[in-house]
Amino acid sequence: MIKLNSKQCRIYRVRVNDLEAPFLYNDPTLEVCHHESKQRNLNYFSSAYTAAVSAVDPDAGHGELVIKVPSELWKQGDDLKVLKVYIEFSLDQPKGGLHFVVPDVEGSMAERGAHVFGSCDGKMKIFSCHRFWFPCVDSYSELCTWKLEFTVDASMVAVSCGDLVETIYTHDMRKKTFHYVLPIPTAAPNISLAVGPFEILVDPYMHEVTHFCLPQLLPLLKHSMSYLHEIFEFYEEILTCRYPYSCFKTVFVDEAYVQVSSYASMSIFSTNLLHSAMIIDQTPQTRRCLAQALAQQFFGCFISRMSWADEWVLKGISGYIYGLYLKKTFGVNEYRHWIKEELDKIVEYELKMGGVLLHPTFSGGKEKDNPTPHLHFSIKHPHTLSWEYYKMFQCKAHLVMRLIENRISMEFMLQVFNKLLSLASTASSQKYQSHMWSQMLLSTHAFLKSISNVSGKDIGPLIKQWVDQSSVVKFFGSFAFNRKRNVLELEIRQDYTSSGTQKYVGPIKVTVQELDGSFNHMLQIEENSLKHDIPCHSKSRRNKKKKIPLMNGEEVDMDLSAMDADSPLLWIRIDPDMSILRKVEFEQADFMWQYQLRYERDVVAQEEAISALEKFPTPASRLALTDILEQEQCFYKVRMQACFCLAKIANAMVSTWQGPPAMKSLFTRMFCCKSCPNIVKTNNFINFQSYFLQKTMPVAMALLRDGQNICPKDVLNFILDLIKYNDNRKNKFSDNYYRADLIEALTNSLTPAMSINNEVRTVDNLNADVRLILEEITRFLNMEKLLPSFRNTITISCLRAIRQLQKNGHIPSDPSLFKSYAQYGHFVDLRIAALEALVDYTRVERSSAELQWLLSMAQNDPVHYVRHKILGMLCKNPPFTKTTDSALCNEALVDQLWKFMNSGTSHDWRLRCDAVNLYYMLFGLTRPSCLPLPELGLVLNLKEKKAVLNPTIKPELGVGAPDPVSLGVCGVGQPPQGLKRKADTPLGSPPEPGQVLQQQDDDGRGARYKIRVRHEDIDMETVHDSQAFIHHHLNLLERPSTPGTHTHTHTHTHTHTHTLIAEYRNTHTHHCRGHYIHVTSYKQALDNKKKPAKPGSVRRTSTSAGRG
Amino acid sequence: MQLAAVAKIKSLNYTNISYRNIAGKATSSPAENYLLARRRTLQVVVSALLTESGFESAEKAAVETLTEMLQSYITEIGRCAKAYCEHTARSVPTLSDTVVTLIEMGFNVDTLPIYAKRSQRMVITAPPVTNAPVTPKALSAGQKRTHPAHIPSHFPEFPDPHTYIKTPTFREPVSDYQVVREKAATQRRDVERALTRFIAKTGETQSLFKDDITTFPLIAAQPSTIPYLSALLPSELELQALEETDSSEQDDQTDGENTAGNDDPGADKENSMLPPSGVVPSTKASEDNVIDNPYLRPVKKPKVRRKK
């Protein structure tokens, strides 16, 4: 028995060592729950889905394609001899895996810029979906070398993994064949392909690096790639290791599945990352994406994971070294800001959704042992994960890596990485000793061992706390100063009972800034001690004029008049280095926050102070924030944050506010002409810090409200003037983001219209201010049609503004404009913005028509990313939730969504998980409330046996479900081999690709209790019994349903290689054909592939020449 | 008739004034009287010549015509002689000037003395002596400049100062910063509004209000086949602006070449194969020829099949 992963493919024949071999093709994920059962609760779906994925899990030795090795060859298998498997397949109109972009214009394929690429989310390598486009062992732990041949139209370029050996014309000279060889052992999910009429750019600094982009974008490519070599140099330097592959290719494609995806020696990016030299905002983002992709080349592609549970190590390391790159390129401030941002993100997610577990262990496999019962999906397989969860998973992984670095020092950390890489590269060069290749797979265990070898430190507790356990820590801190003892009495409490929290025991660092300097204290958090006494070093002495030393050695003059005369404390920080994954809510007086904001040099402290000051709307806070705003040495992101805080404070102080509106005079001083303060200077964005500030201040100012809770006329006119006098002619940078922000400012200034008992909104009763705003928006929107801005930022802002106008009742609420912008054929950012407005409309207006429209787009849109985003946005801004009543919540919708996630999304893991998320958001885990109640007994049973795998079968049987057999099949989760035939499949029907072929099972119950039957334990008799049936089908299978004759020639060379020969015909019907030759020893197939391969039991393959 | 005129050459040489304008007009100014007297003398000459030739009487119109012809002839001789004289850098015509002129006009000069001494010629009284009219002095404005030392005094005087002195007459331009900015902003806004309204009027539109589609017309969103091109590539306007700023700021050339130098990237595939000259350090430029990148290698021809 050989099991391979394959989806969507039409398999014509399989031969093993030139002998025809019977095979079965069963994809249980095609339809998760079979038949129209009445089950509509998510618990049931999730467990069925997990079972389905488990049934084809390559790491467990399963697969959709089961090949029966002819009995003649059994002997050979037992002798650990090589078996050669030859699979002839075609792929017709693939829905997932490969993505075709064919613009609908005149001209040849090349002129139209048509291209195709493996649309797998390589960034999220978890959702390995290579089985979607060729049969393989779709696992990261099955390494082999590769030979790849692609025959494409002569106008196209095929870019794939490995070295391009040669390119040869076909005999008619109309096509070219690209021959690739990848000598470094690589797992199938790390293989990809991109074909298109690409423009080719050889990197001027590194000739072995080649960049590809779509026609006409070459100048952008040149600019965007001009700093890639610096990233290369950085990684090679810190890892003291050469880039492992002999070449590197970057391909920029349209309609990319994700922005960045890395494969062995190539990365596929979204074409939207390309930018010209005039664009400021996109530049750091693109550099970040490149750096991420490259980090994953080392850890993720070259070094792969042993199993899914080890994923966190690779994500962690690549995320961590990416962080080091950020630190080096963008500076320490940016780095610390980023760490804080990531920490806040993970903390927020875990507190809201429950813990994120990095290293799940599944003992025994009983569902009761589910380590994450709070989640509505299983984390046992990458394919069942919610996208959001996975993003947080990555985020947590690199934060934990940073914690390890804090513990063992960066030097050791880099040594560990270097060690892993050198082991792997030694292993990869062992061409004929593939047992060594397991060194290229990284497991949690090996990583930890390496750390302890290198550093000699025990990081066990750290790993236990953050890796083996989910959740974060939540601290509440407060303090009192004991004047008599000159002691700071600090109280740190924890909340470890609410969801997503855990108890922390261990050291914590507290930094106290006193008059005499800054002091670090290591406190020990223990079970029952809440209070910590920290002796102070200085006496209070407010009258002495002396400079105050800061943490960084700097000495500054401070105006100490604000502080408490009795206390020497300026400010206190808990865990300043973010060495715990925590949320800290700390109480200290407003003046302390103000001192912290002004004088603490750490950006994280400044940002914490700013968010704390929101609660203290006083003139002193105002002054501190204004000073920070003006201070040019201050990190620009802190200053930007200060803008928004200032706006909030100003609103809270509206009755006592003195002087012009907040920030107006500041903006005038910084950016307006000296002679005429109402006119802004002509744009000059050469100083990026002030550029970002100039962009942000109007947006924040527009949030100001006067006593009537409307935006002051002053401010509105000011913004309108900024728009009017904006002049970019002398600027070498584009002002599109700035203008977009000015529109956002206009949007922010909007307040609900005076409600005049639901009167219809017309042009005549428009508010005068709104009329001005609308005029600007109209002009901007129309100008954008003639002179489009980069990434259509301005249109996007305009759409948001229009939605806001509608929502506030200034103009009639109408979705048609957004619908037109959401159509396929607009720039993707624009579509997302329009869809966001539609999602909002759907929620506010409770429009079932729009909801249907959105759902149908989520099912049918050609762009995967858009479909994913629609569901994501519906989750974020749901039209209703499980706790609210809504007319939208009805049986038809339940059925529709159920069908969608059950069978409509089988080609795209991510989309299916999105659909599951949405279902959870709308209906919760249990049976949706809008459904008619089934028999009472069922409900009771559900409640009782909630955690049981399939508590519903018995009740269903009792109720009289239509087909007990099929219920048995689906309810239990797939018996691993899928050797059952659906009861109602007519015997003679030709199997369609992916159609479930199941052997008739005699007893549904019998099957049910076979869930944990391992693959080796299959009763061979059963298999033999089914031979007659199988052969019957094979006869049909051997006649390809697409007419045509195929001739094949093979030349066998015994390299350890998988060969994929594919011909991509870029015709209107997307159509791929390929042969996949995959040789494996019989023994190995039975060995369940868990253990490192033994010598001789290697997968062997042969090459084969392409089809005639 | 021609010969008779010759006698008068000298006296007419000096009068470059066209008689035609004046003849026939009843005037009284001394200048006109002077001219009329001359004209009358010419008529007498014509009459005398006619008598000499044997004519008994002549119509007045014929006499007038002949007078006119004679006058033209004499005037032409005078003008031409003066031209010759000035051509040789003199101001007063000499005999030789006149002779050359006559020759030039096809007149046989040798016959002149004989003609002059013929027996039957009539002597005509000289015209009454009247003072040559004094040309009235042009109104002089300002002080004329005297010649500087290097110009000989015989050269003509400088003209009146007003003919060559610059008199500024333009208004003070608006240089007030605020007004300029205001004007530029308003102008641009007006142009933009007019343009977009025009496009909106001539094409499909969308509206935010169902009842009123004209107040805020939005140009309808048209899906494009390759949406990323317009969204990513800088517009021509931006490229133009970039070129302008680059020419003023020479310090940052590479950026300019990166973006501005490749307006039409798709057109030239050969060029696109080469690394950008703008960003390559000069030392690398020489290596460009030897870049060995598999994607730049020529595509191989298929091997010939063994069996044909």
Side-chain angles (χ1 to χ4, degrees), chain A residues 72-91:
Chain A
E72 297 91 319
L73 296 169
W74 289 6
K75 174 85 173 61
Q76 224 177 334
D78 292 341
D79 298 346
L80 300 178
K81 288 232 180 84
V82 169
L83 289 183
K84 183 158 58 74
V85 180
Y86 176 98
I87 300 170
E88 186 186 317
F89 72 95
S90 77
L91 184 61

Side-chain angles (χ1 to χ4, degrees), chain A residues 8-13 23-27 30 64-65 90 981-982 985-998 1029-1042:
Chain A
Q8 300 186 119
C9 300
R10 181 181 301 241
I11 295 180
Y12 298 111
R13 64 199 297 205
F23 63 94
L24 272 175
Y25 189 32
N26 169 32
D27 183 358
L30 214 53
E64 290 91 348
L65 179 66
S90 77
R981 196 188 129 262
K982 266 200 294 191
T985 308
L987 271 174
S989 67
E992 289 298 312
Q995 183 184 344
V996 185
L997 277 183
Q998 290 173 326
F1029 163 75
I1030 292 171
H1031 281 297
H1032 179 77
H1033 273 262
L1034 287 181
N1035 287 336
L1036 289 165
L1037 284 171
E1038 272 167 10
R1039 277 174 235 125
S1041 45
T1042 4

Side-chain angles (χ1 to χ4, degrees), chain B residues 63-83:
Chain B
V63 175
E64 276 298 323
T65 308
L66 287 171
T67 309
E68 193 69 18
M69 289 169 71
L70 180 62
Q71 185 184 328
S72 300
Y73 190 74
I74 293 170
T75 309
E76 178 57 25
I77 294 171
R79 191 196 63 77
C80 213
K82 180 146 168 64

Side-chain angles (χ1 to χ4, degrees), chain A residues 561-573:
Chain A
S561 55
M563 71 185 291
D564 181 0
D566 297 331
S567 152
L569 300 171
L570 283 166
W571 65 82
I572 300 163
R573 298 183 60 206

Side-chain angles (χ1 to χ4, degrees), chain A residues 101-114 197 215 1068, chain B residues 226 228:
Chain A
V101 181
V102 186
D104 187 19
V105 279
E106 292 293 307
S108 73
M109 280 295 165
E111 285 158 8
R112 290 152 65 176
H1068 283 286
Chain B
I226 309 182
Y228 59 85

Side-chain angles (χ1 to χ4, degrees), chain B residues 152-198:
Chain B
S153 56
H154 63 271
F155 269 69
E157 285 183 329
F158 274 107
D160 285 344
H162 74 265
T163 57
Y164 60 86
I165 285 178
K166 181 174 73 177
T167 331
T169 57
F170 57 89
R171 269 181 307 158
E172 189 78 6
V174 192
S175 59
D176 183 25
Y177 186 77
Q178 183 169 355
V179 179
V180 173
R181 288 293 299 277
E182 173 85 45
K183 206 170 169 188
T186 322
Q187 202 169 7
R188 199 191 49 202
R189 174 175 299 222
D190 289 348
V191 168
E192 286 184 5
R193 186 176 295 145
L195 180 62
T196 50
R197 291 232 159 199
F198 171 74

